Amino acid sequence: MAKGLGKGINALFNNVDANEETVQNVAIKEIKPNPYQPRKIFDAKAINELRDSIKIHGVLQPIILRNTEKGYEIVVGERRYRAAKEAKLKEIPAVVRDLTEEEMMELSVIENLQREDLSPLEEAESYQFLMKKLGLTQAKLAERVGKSRPYIANFVRLLTLPEEVQVMLRDGSLSAGHGRVLLGLKLKKNIIPTAKKAVAQGLTVRQLEDVVNNLNENVSRETIKPARVPIFIRESESQLRDKFGTAVSIKRRDKKGKIEIEFLSDDDLDRILEILDIQFDDE
């Protein structure tokens, strides 16, 4: 029996013809989880709901597997596989594809990125994983996943937050927007206590921006002589912060001046250079 699958995933690979794919029943005991699964936490309630549905209606959409020397590996459909196991099924409908290691990791990660329930950290880690494993720049990755380069850059930068704050993003206490605002703090020692304050007080992103702006202004008063900053300079700094997703300051002396763009790591520097379209040839 031949069935066509959705074009969304198949379109990623020109050598796969959806019309020629055959669905077969594969023993669940021969299937192994996806080694490149970006999702770290599976919602037990959702799995149980899917299990109950499978008990009544069966598995309506086949999972996608890759056949390896060690058995079948899940490419797409790990939640259906887990729910089928919970439903005590012996077999599950599947399409078995010939995929290289690179194709498998790309397909499995991108399939999960197309879902809307990944946490900001899982999404950020997925982008970083693909760039590292496939040797892609942020610009190339943006083309592959249909996102803008700043979108990719802003997510990857969340990985530079302190681990304690990353946990808050992972468990949903903070959003990606909160994380990006926290990265704008001039004193990095303020990130964790400010994040805790945001969670404790249930601050919105806009409210957190006000907190961060106040903290940054206090830093300025403590570290530099009070000086009236022209409005257009402040507005320019604000727009540059939005563009680069990091602290930016414009310093003027007489008719000259300089722009300082903060970066938190080598990866963060690479991110900023990419925004500036500065690339270096690999030797």
Side-chain angles (χ1 to χ4, degrees), residues 142-155:
E143 292 177 7
R144 298 278 276 267
V145 300
K147 303 287 187 182
S148 69
R149 186 175 56 187
Y151 180 94
I152 300 291
N154 282 330
F155 266 90

Side-chain angles (χ1 to χ4, degrees), residues 9 22 28 30 45 49 57 65-66 109 115 141-142 151-152 155-156 185 187 196 210 217 220 246 255 266:
I9 299 300
T22 299
I28 285 182
E30 297 180 7
K45 182 181 178 182
E49 289 175 350
H57 304 291
L65 303 175
R66 182 179 76 141
V109 172
R115 300 181 183 277
L141 177 61
Y151 180 94
I152 300 291
F155 266 90
V156 171
L185 280 164
L187 290 181
K196 289 180 177 177
D210 292 338
E217 287 179 4
S220 299
T246 189
K255 295 183 179 181
D266 289 345

Side-chain angles (χ1 to χ4, degrees), residues 8 34 68 75 108 114 124 128 139 164-165 201 238 249 264 267-268 280:
N34 186 339
T68 71
V75 181
S108 58
Q114 290 180 339
Q128 189 175 62
E164 193 170 347
V165 180
Q201 298 184 8
S238 176
S249 61
L264 302 179
D267 287 341
D268 199 29
F280 302 95

Side-chain angles (χ1 to χ4, degrees), residues 22-33:
T22 299
V23 177
Q24 58 184 284
N25 288 322
V26 177
I28 285 182
K29 66 180 181 181
E30 297 180 7
I31 299 173
K32 296 180 179 179

